[in-house]
Amino acid sequence: MPYNRDTLAAQADKLSGIEEETDLYEGFSPHVDTSEIKSLDFYTQKPSTGKEPALRSFTEIQQLLQQGKKRDVKSILRENSWPINSPIRAQLWPALCAQHQTKQNMLDGFYWDMVHQVFGTTELSDKPIMLPAFVDPAHCLTYHLTRTGRSVADRIVNVLGYDCPDITYSPVLYPITSILLHFMSEEEAYHCLAALVGSKEKVFIKQTKLQHEVTWKTVMQIAKKHSKNAVTYFQRICPGVKLERVFMDWCWWILAGLPFQHLVRIMDCYFHEGIKVLYRVALVIINLFHKECQSNNEWSPDNIKNDIGNALIKFCKKIPVSPTKLLHAAFSIRGLSSTYISRIFMKTEMILKSRSVLNNGSKQLVKSRSSDNLPSSQSQVNIQMMSHTLTIRELFTLWSWLPVRITMYQPVLLYTTEEHGCSLTTFYVRVEQHEPTLMMIKTCNNEVFGAYCSTRWFERNVKDDKGQRQAYFGTGETFLFSLYPERAKYPWVGIENEKDLGHASELFMAADSKMITIGGGEGQAIWMDENIRFGKTDSCKTFNNPPLCPSGDFEIRVLEVYGFDGV
């Protein structure tokens, strides 16, 4: 939603019972105690030479955001080291977060209506507020918030938990709330958090225990490749300590360890690019720590081998590089693309999901509430009532293949040829805004197969910076399946292979007014015509699948497309 900072801040301060103070640094909100904030340390500013390029303004960045020039915005955010007390963040951060918003624009006063609904009043109580179960009490980091600011953070997190009941475990959510409150009003901070939590295009905040575990294991796997020497060194000096114990706390190296001025600059980029920024910073921290271990007695093997995790946090507090150099090193790491990170994440999630099925009830695996990956009784009833293709047995099989987070939601029949007719136009009208979707085809020969489609079909209309429509879209979470006569799942080939497999391995979804295609590269896994009557299936490089029906060509008896309520 559009932000009017003056109006919203005045309203928020009035409702919060916060009086405007006059002795604050220009860029901070009234929630902040600035007495301990170091805006000028030995590494935050170099002596001026008079030749430095001027820092970019919010107006310039706002124009680029409105024009959809996200790459230009990314470059500016990475290169412009605004001072920690710069007033630009009061406008910049809400604008960056707003671009990830997926819910319809909230009406003015929505947040305060929610506050009144949850607490019965908009007055800020002096009594402690019980935090939601997804908060980690050991990491309720408040940085430089005042006592009132901390109470405001508690209230925001409670309201978000009420509005987003699917959040079951999210220890980083509270620290990010606190960081936001340093530069904006309570209401603005809530809207920023809601946008980050609901983002579909980029990942910002993990929201279940399983996702949390997959994330730190993903960082560990990436570090084994991109920080190999450091990881080998840690394993050598700490043979009795499992590497997992070190990486479980990776996010706290950044959020609890780094000086606040470093953290603020990281957030400038994070609110635009997502969690991959934190992955990059974590790798730099590991490499810098490894370097210091070899040259600084404070970090000698004898001093750190008994508690390397705590030593990493202490090192971050004294990190020997400026925020500018830290980010420059982070963004200079090669071969760490979003596609590569996504592949490692999905591969790790699949492994953990498989173990959770094999070791159901094991206390060693941290699992989300839906990690048993079985459809609820309500989901079974819904499918039985709606589907012309699925038996209960096939439903259980298909459900075990879905991403774990999706199994928390109830399936909703969006489109079926039995009820809505055979028209690609109708298909788009009913399906294109939903993400993800599950497509099932039953042929006139009774074969049953389909695809889990990770991205909205509306993406067929999205244009790049040059005004060209992208031929293919989607992510590596997309997969094919066959339920009859063969029962098999065909995931993206990139999950099992860390090498760059080329463009043909990433042809997930394509569509226009004449056809729909899933999978490509030397064949199309599923192709359907505009009348949703005839189709064909071939082997393809994206999924390394055989034809999904023996004849290759097929006539469609029923097409069903499901969405998931609440996603």
Side-chain angles (χ1 to χ4, degrees):
M1 66 175 287
Y3 294 98
N4 183 324
R5 175 166 175 77
D6 294 336
T7 302
L8 292 179
Q11 182 188 23
D13 292 344
K14 180 178 179 181
L15 290 168
S16 300
I18 302 171
E19 295 182 0
E20 187 72 26
E21 297 180 31
T22 59
D23 59 343
L24 300 181
Y25 290 145
E26 185 180 7
F28 294 111
S29 77
H31 312 303
V32 179
D33 176 3
T34 61
S35 60
E36 296 181 356
I37 295 181
K38 298 178 180 179
S39 60
L40 295 174
D41 266 354
F42 74 96
Y43 44 57
T44 57
Q45 283 195 350
K46 296 180 180 178
S48 175
T49 63
K51 298 180 180 179
E52 295 89 352
L55 294 173
R56 305 294 283 271
S57 69
F58 172 68
T59 300
E60 294 175 280
I61 299 173
Q62 186 180 39
Q63 289 175 348
L64 293 173
L65 287 172
Q66 291 170 347
Q67 295 167 5
K69 296 182 178 180
K70 295 183 179 182
R71 290 186 179 180
D72 293 341
V73 173
K74 179 173 70 174
S75 298
I76 291 174
L77 295 172
R78 291 181 176 187
E79 296 167 4
N80 283 251
S81 295
W82 295 283
I84 190 174
N85 58 339
S86 170
I88 190 174
R89 294 184 179 89
Q91 297 174 293
L92 177 62
W93 284 10
L96 293 176
C97 293
Q99 66 181 326
H100 310 299
Q101 186 171 296
T102 54
K103 291 185 178 180
Q104 294 182 352
N105 288 350
M106 297 179 186
L107 298 174
D108 288 342
F110 171 83
Y111 172 69
W112 295 110
D113 289 342
M114 291 288 291
V115 169
H116 195 279
Q117 189 172 347
V118 174
F119 296 102
T121 179
T122 56
E123 296 295 323
L124 194 61
S125 174
D126 293 333
K127 298 179 180 179
I129 300 173
M130 183 177 292
L131 295 172
F134 61 73
V135 172
D136 181 357
H139 291 104
C140 290
L141 306 174
T142 57
Y143 305 104
H144 302 286
L145 292 181
T146 62
R147 180 179 176 182
T148 301
R150 294 192 290 272
S151 296
V152 169
D154 292 350
R155 181 158 71 176
I156 291 174
V157 170
N158 266 280
V159 173
L160 189 71
Y162 181 82
D163 190 35
C164 305
D166 294 318
I167 302 176
T168 57
Y169 186 74
S170 187
V172 305
L173 202 150
Y174 194 100
I176 291 175
T177 303
S178 297
I179 295 168
L180 288 168
L181 281 173
H182 283 69
F183 299 96
M184 63 188 70
S185 72
E186 178 177 351
E187 187 172 17
E188 287 173 310
Y190 174 81
H191 286 298
C192 286
L193 277 175
L196 298 178
V197 166
S199 173
K200 296 186 183 299
E201 183 181 351
K202 289 182 169 65
V203 176
F204 292 89
I205 299 173
K206 300 299 182 183
Q207 299 166 43
T208 68
K209 283 188 176 181
L210 180 64
Q211 290 176 3
H212 180 75
E213 183 178 9
V214 173
T215 300
W216 67 255
K217 288 193 173 182
T218 297
V219 174
M220 183 173 68
Q221 293 302 319
I222 293 172
K224 287 180 179 179
K225 177 178 179 181
H226 291 272
S227 302
K228 186 176 180 180
N229 292 338
V231 171
T232 302
Y233 176 78
F234 297 153
Q235 290 176 314
R236 180 167 56 83
I237 66 171
C238 308
V241 178
K242 290 186 177 182
L243 202 58
E244 287 83 352
R245 294 288 298 273
V246 177
F247 283 93
M248 284 176 69
D249 290 334
W250 78 278
C251 61
W252 307 122
W253 307 342
I254 301 168
L255 294 173
L258 289 178
F260 192 65
Q261 51 266 53
H262 290 67
L263 187 54
V264 169
R265 275 294 292 129
I266 291 169
M267 291 294 112
D268 289 340
C269 302
Y270 166 80
F271 290 137
H272 183 62
E273 299 184 52
I275 199 171
K276 69 175 185 178
V277 173
L278 305 187
Y279 289 163
R280 288 179 172 274
V281 171
L283 294 182
V284 174
I285 289 172
I286 294 172
N287 292 332
L288 286 173
F289 184 57
H290 176 225
K291 183 178 179 180
E292 288 292 306
C293 287
Q294 297 174 311
S295 60
N296 189 332
N297 288 333
E298 182 179 2
W299 312 112
S300 66
D302 289 338
N303 289 335
I304 69 172
K305 64 182 180 181
N306 294 326
D307 193 355
I308 193 170
N310 194 41
L312 267 164
I313 297 285
K314 291 181 178 178
F315 169 76
C316 288
K317 292 181 182 295
K318 303 178 180 180
I319 195 160
V321 297
S322 69
T324 300
K325 288 186 177 179
L326 179 67
L327 285 178
H328 178 74
F331 295 125
S332 297
I333 300 173
R334 296 185 176 182
L336 198 59
S337 66
S338 297
T339 301
Y340 167 73
I341 293 173
S342 177
R343 181 166 65 242
I344 299 298
F345 185 91
M346 285 187 289
K347 184 176 182 180
T348 304
E349 184 182 39
M350 289 178 64
I351 291 171
L352 288 180
K353 189 170 71 172
S354 299
R355 289 176 183 172
S356 72
V357 173
L358 294 173
N359 304 311
N360 194 19
S362 171
K363 296 182 180 180
Q364 295 180 349
L365 182 63
V366 181
K367 298 186 291 185
S368 74
R369 64 179 181 178
S370 61
S371 59
D372 55 4
N373 226 32
L374 296 176
S376 67
S377 57
Q378 185 61 52
S379 295
Q380 295 177 40
V381 171
N382 289 354
I383 292 289
Q384 281 184 299
M385 291 178 63
M386 295 182 293
S387 180
H388 294 268
T389 61
L390 277 180
T391 65
I392 285 296
R393 183 181 179 186
E394 289 170 340
L395 169 62
F396 272 62
T397 299
L398 185 55
W399 214 257
S400 71
W401 293 337
L402 296 177
V404 173
R405 70 181 190 282
I406 300 301
T407 62
M408 293 190 293
Y409 301 99
Q410 299 298 331
V412 178
L413 183 62
L414 302 174
Y415 172 85
T416 171
T417 51
E418 293 284 295
E419 183 177 339
H420 304 116
C422 300
S423 165
L424 201 52
T425 301
T426 306
F427 171 92
Y428 289 138
V429 168
R430 299 191 61 85
V431 170
E432 66 178 10
Q433 294 294 350
H434 292 266
E435 178 182 307
T437 51
L438 189 63
M439 178 184 295
M440 287 184 290
I441 298 169
K442 186 172 187 177
T443 72
C444 290
N445 291 329
N446 291 323
E447 296 115 342
V448 179
F449 55 87
Y452 173 85
C453 303
S454 63
T455 303
R456 298 181 306 164
W457 286 101
F458 181 78
E459 294 296 314
R460 74 191 189 281
N461 297 320
V462 175
K463 298 180 181 179
D464 59 22
D465 292 343
K466 298 180 181 179
Q468 301 294 320
R469 290 187 179 183
Q470 48 187 347
Y472 279 87
F473 49 92
T475 70
E477 204 170 39
T478 303
F479 65 83
L480 305 174
F481 60 85
S482 174
L483 292 173
Y484 185 81
E486 299 293 330
R487 188 169 298 181
K489 176 186 178 182
Y490 304 100
W492 174 42
V493 293
I495 290 178
E496 300 295 334
N497 197 322
E498 295 186 4
K499 296 180 180 179
D500 184 0
L501 300 176
H503 178 64
S505 68
E506 298 181 3
L507 305 178
F508 301 109
M509 301 161 62
D512 57 27
S513 61
K514 300 293 184 183
M515 62 85 198
I516 279 180
T517 294
I518 301 170
E522 297 185 2
Q524 296 164 317
I526 296 176
W527 178 93
M528 291 186 294
D529 68 4
E530 61 184 310
N531 297 315
I532 311 185
R533 183 179 176 187
F534 296 104
K536 61 181 180 180
T537 173
D538 297 308
S539 301
C540 77
K541 284 194 170 184
T542 305
F543 300 104
N544 192 29
N545 60 287
L548 299 176
C549 66
S551 63
D553 296 322
F554 57 87
E555 185 175 356
I556 299 170
R557 174 177 290 176
V558 182
L559 170 67
E560 295 177 348
V561 182
Y562 291 86
F564 297 88
D565 190 26
V567 177

